[in-house]
Amino acid sequence: DIGSLYFILSLWAGLVGTGFSVLIRLELSAPGSVLGDYQLYNLIVTTHGLIMIFFLVMPMMMGGFGNWLVPMMLSLPDMGFPRLNNVSFWVLPISMALLFCSAFSEGGFGGGWTLYPPLSSIMGHSGPAMDFLILSLHIGGASSIMASINFYSTWGNMRAGCHQFYRVPLFCTSIGVTSFLLILAMPVLAGALTMLLTDRNFNTS
């Protein structure tokens, strides 16, 4: 099911992120530059952070464990919106592909996973790498919003008759609360990314 697909994607992303982590430790293991390129090191740090957060932790904890355990714990046959669930997974590989497009275009983005200006501005990185990264996080955020709407609706509206709120397992409540927080937070991230995109390409301020 979708939970298993989330686990496969997040485990693969975890292996890639761990490879970047090994390169970070290799660079820091000796004085001077082991990799020979400080921009490459910054790119590795940036990509490692984004992969671990958006493609390991969030898909595994919410998508994987959530899809496996929430319907089972609430005595349901499936999530509330199975097709929304499907879409929320299948846009994640697209988001990850855009992240790798960013890493391989004109030296990649080496401004840290927080993406702060001025490094993420057009002066800091003038090539398309940052724009690919913005699109990647936009799509990843859309995936999180869709999955969160699904989890929150399932937790809030589809409990079996024996499951009053005080009898719902704590895991399901934690998924519901996390989904609510993601629904609040992800549009803010999307707004900030959109403003950064227009600052870079349309000379807004």
Side-chain angles (χ1 to χ4, degrees):
D1 64 340
I2 299 296
S4 303
L5 290 173
Y6 268 113
F7 269 114
I8 292 167
L9 178 83
S10 56
L11 286 173
W12 186 83
L15 290 173
V16 175
T18 303
F20 283 132
S21 176
V22 170
L23 291 174
I24 292 169
R25 282 162 175 73
L26 183 69
E27 174 71 13
L28 298 176
S29 64
S33 176
V34 175
L35 297 172
D37 185 351
Y38 295 115
Q39 164 66 15
L40 177 61
Y41 173 71
N42 289 338
L43 166 68
I44 289 170
V45 170
T46 304
T47 312
H48 165 76
L50 292 171
I51 282 178
M52 287 305 204
I53 293 165
F54 286 99
F55 300 106
L56 172 68
V57 175
M58 288 169 64
M60 182 177 279
M61 297 300 159
M62 288 285 289
F65 284 110
N67 275 296
W68 272 4
L69 298 177
V70 168
M72 185 174 66
M73 288 181 170
L74 295 180
S75 308
L76 302 173
D78 198 358
M79 297 293 293
F81 301 106
R83 289 181 180 178
L84 189 67
N85 210 10
N86 197 26
V87 173
S88 73
F89 170 77
W90 282 110
V91 297
L92 271 181
I94 299 169
S95 175
M96 187 183 282
L98 283 167
L99 178 65
F100 289 126
C101 285
S102 165
F104 287 110
S105 58
E106 292 193 11
F109 173 70
W113 67 271
T114 49
L115 313 180
Y116 289 152
L119 283 175
S120 59
S121 69
I122 198 74
M123 291 180 294
H125 283 81
S126 58
M130 186 62 214
D131 299 312
F132 276 126
L133 199 52
I134 290 170
L135 292 173
S136 168
L137 294 181
H138 258 307
I139 295 172
S143 167
S144 293
I145 290 171
M146 288 187 283
S148 298
I149 289 170
N150 200 2
F151 282 120
Y152 190 74
S153 302
T154 305
W155 169 72
N157 300 322
M158 290 186 64
R159 299 182 312 279
C162 60
H163 283 210
Q164 282 79 28
F165 260 122
Y166 64 90
R167 296 187 63 184
V168 170
L170 194 58
F171 175 80
C172 298
T173 303
S174 74
I175 289 285
V177 171
T178 306
S179 298
F180 177 71
L181 294 174
L182 277 170
I183 291 167
L184 291 182
M186 281 298 159
V188 179
L189 174 66
L193 288 170
T194 304
M195 288 190 282
L196 181 58
L197 191 69
T198 57
D199 282 359
R200 288 176 55 83
N201 296 295
F202 303 109
N203 202 27
T204 59
S205 57

